[in-house]
Amino acid sequence: MADAIPITCAKCNKAMTVPAKLAGKKVKCKGCDAIVAVPGAKETFKFADDEPAARSTKPVKKAKAVATPAPASPPPVDDEDENNPNPYGAIEDNSHIPRCAFCAQEMDPPDARICKGCGYDMQERRRHESKAVYENSIGDYLTHHGTTIGAALFIIALIVIDVIFFMNMADWFEGSWMVQEDKDQVTGKPKYWIPPGLVLTWATIMFLGMGWYALRYIIRKLKDFHPRETLTAE
């Protein structure tokens, strides 16, 4: 095979031949798995003379043609494993690939500033902190707004109670110890130690105050509608 380079293992002295395309690379010896360097292709250059030599006037004797011996054919390349894409164990040189200075992973893209694997900043020469963020679920929203729902139900309950007081307060006071024995001489209605309307007024004011604080709490929670995401530092 014309495009083959003979090499010899320096460790076990095993003679091998490798294709010429592996010139300048390193291969593994099939005998002892040692690394053997393949010599590079040699180039010859022919330099022209500065000035052509003066032609001689003397006749030049023609040399007798001597038969040139045929070059010895190199030993056949050992192709024992035809299915192996790299039968000679050529080692690929990956030193030109840009890698992270912290974790030695390949940079993607090659001119990236931040390493995706560890967060190392190639310009500032320091590692940025990375955090894993977990998305909120429906349960997180229900937990976050549980008090909001409770405050809304509290306001509804206050309204219902106030309506019940307004409709039944007079009947509740009738026949109770709140009624005086004497009646009003002008209207003929019974007199009360504490008028039902006064109790209803103060109850309504108290309900309005509690409902106002509950409403403010609901508005503040709605402004912060989304619960805080769970952050776990790596």
Side-chain angles (χ1 to χ4, degrees):
M1 191 173 179
D3 296 335
I5 301 175
I7 59 175
T8 303
C9 177
K11 185 175 181 181
C12 65
N13 295 325
K14 179 178 177 63
M16 299 176 292
T17 56
V18 296
K21 63 182 181 180
L22 298 179
K25 296 186 177 181
K26 297 179 181 180
V27 299
K28 288 184 179 180
C29 176
K30 294 185 177 181
C32 61
D33 291 337
I35 304 300
V36 182
V38 180
K42 296 181 179 180
E43 297 181 359
T44 58
F45 299 91
K46 183 178 180 181
F47 296 93
D49 297 336
D50 294 339
E51 295 182 359
R55 293 184 179 181
S56 177
T57 57
K58 296 181 179 180
V60 179
K61 294 182 179 181
K62 295 183 178 180
K64 294 181 179 181
V66 180
T68 304
S73 59
V77 179
D78 188 6
D79 294 333
E80 296 178 358
D81 190 358
E82 296 180 355
N83 297 324
N84 187 0
N86 189 14
Y88 297 95
I91 302 173
E92 186 178 359
D93 185 11
N94 296 329
S95 58
H96 64 282
I97 298 177
R99 296 184 179 275
C100 173
F102 187 84
C103 65
Q105 291 188 10
E106 183 177 351
M107 299 297 291
D108 183 23
D111 57 346
R113 174 180 174 179
I114 306 297
C115 176
K116 295 181 179 179
C118 64
Y120 185 78
D121 194 322
M122 300 296 288
Q123 293 185 4
E124 297 182 3
R125 297 297 178 182
R126 65 184 183 90
R127 187 183 180 189
H128 292 276
E129 181 183 3
S130 60
K131 296 181 179 180
V133 181
Y134 298 93
E135 185 178 1
N136 293 318
S137 61
I138 297 177
D140 296 331
Y141 280 94
L142 292 177
T143 304
H144 181 67
H145 290 289
T147 54
T148 307
I149 298 173
L153 295 176
F154 179 71
I155 293 176
I156 295 174
L158 291 177
I159 296 174
V160 173
I161 294 173
D162 192 58
V163 171
I164 293 174
F165 280 6
F166 183 79
M167 295 176 62
N168 300 308
M169 186 65 69
D171 296 337
W172 291 344
F173 272 61
E174 187 176 352
S176 65
W177 62 271
M178 293 286 186
V179 181
Q180 298 181 7
E181 295 180 357
D182 299 335
K183 293 185 178 180
D184 191 350
Q185 297 180 357
V186 179
T187 60
K189 294 182 179 180
K191 293 181 179 180
Y192 299 92
W193 296 105
I194 300 177
L198 180 63
V199 176
L200 181 62
T201 301
W202 281 105
T204 302
I205 294 174
M206 182 179 63
F207 292 162
L208 288 175
M210 291 186 295
W212 168 247
Y213 281 104
L215 182 61
R216 287 181 58 188
Y217 179 80
I218 292 174
I219 294 174
R220 186 167 63 252
K221 293 290 288 186
L222 290 178
K223 289 181 178 179
D224 188 19
F225 184 79
H226 299 285
R228 295 182 179 181
E229 296 175 333
T230 304
L231 301 179
T232 303
E234 294 180 351

